[in-house]
Amino acid sequence: MAACRESPASSTADAAARAALPDARAWGALFAEPALQAGQAQLLNQLARPRRLSAGEMVFRQGEPASALVALVQGDAALGRLDAQAQFRTERHLRGPAWLDASAAWLGGRHAHDARALAAITVVEFDAEALGKAMEHTPALARQFVRVLAGEVRALTRHAQALMHLDAPARWAGWLLAHCQDVPDAPQRGLVQLALRKRDIASQLAITPETLSRLMRSFSAQGVIEVSGYTVHVLDRTRLAALAAG
Amino acid sequence: MAACRESPASSTADAAARAALPDARAWGALFAEPALQAGQAQLLNQLARPRRLSAGEMVFRQGEPASALVALVQGDAALGRLDAQAQFRTERHLRGPAWLDASAAWLGGRHAHDARALAAITVVEFDAEALGKAMEHTPALARQFVRVLAGEVRALTRHAQALMHLDAPARWAGWLLAHCQDVPDAPQRGLVQLALRKRDIASQLAITPETLSRLMRSFSAQGVIEVSGYTVHVLDRTRLAALAAG
DNA sequence: CGCAACATTGAGGGCCCTCAAGAGGTGTGG
DNA sequence: CCACACCTCTTGAGGGCCCTCAATGTTGCG
């Protein structure tokens, strides 16, 4: 960072902007499977408008007109909603690189959530109009966005189905399985390091912190997990999976 | 239909297939706002594989590999899930023209729902691979699909938010408002003709038929609606909107 | 009519929320 | 060092919402 100072002072702002742009790894995470070609990444870099935000700032507000797609390049952010008491209720926690809103701008619509920086983050915005024009010359880019949106549809469909058909214990079991890391030589075991406040995890599961606390106690009593602070040891993945099935 | 018989017998099958394809109005409903150009519709027609199904047949099953997008051209169908007792639980009711699954095939994934024909319907399938190739020559087509998927994301987001934050009365009030037809010279009033069994409407709202019945009674008692059979008279849209807000 | 499917109504109960109090941890200031 | 404020998490008590189960009413059809 501080190493490269060759450019004249007038372009240090440009250099800072470039530094805020996603690198190859970030582009790879924003788009899936058939990776973005170098040329496509370059094209996107030209359209990208970087923004830096510090912890606690709002990236956008629910209801604001959305003329640009918004991607989180690096850092942690939350999608959710400010309630009446100006308390932020997290609905989804995102760790960059990830899309904060890849859909509203295509319809000339409005953002569906409040988005809030949980730490110092960098975000890039892509004007939907400009992106649409670019897609005309670079059809592969269009397929990338189709895939991004299709992935979002899949995730949201699963989320809605979970809310409709699964009770709180099943959702919590599913969350644990999804965040479970393998333990060497112990296929039934697993490790989950909680990176969020428990109340935020509860928020994601659409339950109250009290209920989550009781669930942890209940699962522990059943011998399925062991909790100490922000570390959860999964003792029996099979039974956890059975709980997750409802 | 029976009128045009000019073509030789060998091509009557082709004629039938063409008849099953979406017309301009149907294409307009499948894609939004900036309407599909004639050339694009023609291109899609070439890729479309029509299927006819009769009432009760399954269009696709949850978990089946999805290699093609599926659109409902005409008729009624339901997205939902067959439960353990082989009972179909409707999650969403669709009236053609509409997309049954516009996302799974893009990811080489699997259908997220069971889809069931509620009447005699015609469906068209588009191979995602072929569609992707077509998009390379016709970028405008790509933008259309981006818009379709963005619309789906918006609808699903709203649905998930409703399930999380709104109770049963609010969801039912919202459903009524969404399906409410205007009554001449009476801006506060409205008319809703229930086109589905009440249990299917309840299913969409993620409540039981009993609860829906009690809600109708409760709203009637409050003087907000009047119910007789499958006809609902909305008496006070303002208060209904207040109920829908939670 | 008899039957089947749907809708309604009531009784009872489970799940999860709300409210309230207490425990444990951390940073600040005296 | 302790006192204090503040935050999070935990634990308990109570209650509301909505589900389940069961009985009854209604409608349509053979």
Side-chain angles (χ1 to χ4, degrees), chain B residues 104-124:
Chain B
W106 292 116
L107 300 165
R110 295 164 181 281
H111 291 296
H113 296 96
D114 291 321
R116 178 186 162 101
L118 297 175
I121 64 173
T122 70
V123 157
V124 294

Side-chain angles (χ1 to χ4, degrees), chain A residues 197-199 210 213-214 216-217 230:
Chain A
R197 294 181 306 176
K198 289 176 181 173
R199 68 170 42 180
E210 293 93 327
S213 182
R214 284 184 255 267
M216 291 202 282
R217 179 169 257 276
Y230 282 82

Side-chain angles (χ1 to χ4, degrees), chain A residues 45-129:
Chain A
N45 273 333
Q46 286 170 13
L47 296 174
R49 295 194 308 249
R51 272 172 72 195
R52 288 178 186 279
L53 294 100
S54 44
E57 278 190 276
M58 302 300 295
V59 185
F60 52 75
R61 299 292 300 268
Q62 187 266 332
E64 270 180 7
S67 65
L69 311 201
V70 185
L72 175 62
V73 178
Q74 161 275 321
D76 283 42
L79 288 177
R81 216 146 167 179
L82 280 172
D83 62 18
Q85 295 84 35
Q87 282 286 348
F88 192 85
R89 277 187 68 94
T90 304
E91 285 170 17
R92 233 161 104 205
H93 179 95
L94 295 171
R95 170 153 300 168
W99 289 96
L100 287 175
D101 188 339
S103 63
W106 292 118
L107 300 165
R110 294 162 182 281
H111 291 296
H113 297 95
D114 290 323
R116 179 185 161 101
L118 297 176
I121 64 173
T122 68
V123 158
V124 294
E125 298 186 348
F126 303 93
D127 185 76
E129 205 50 51

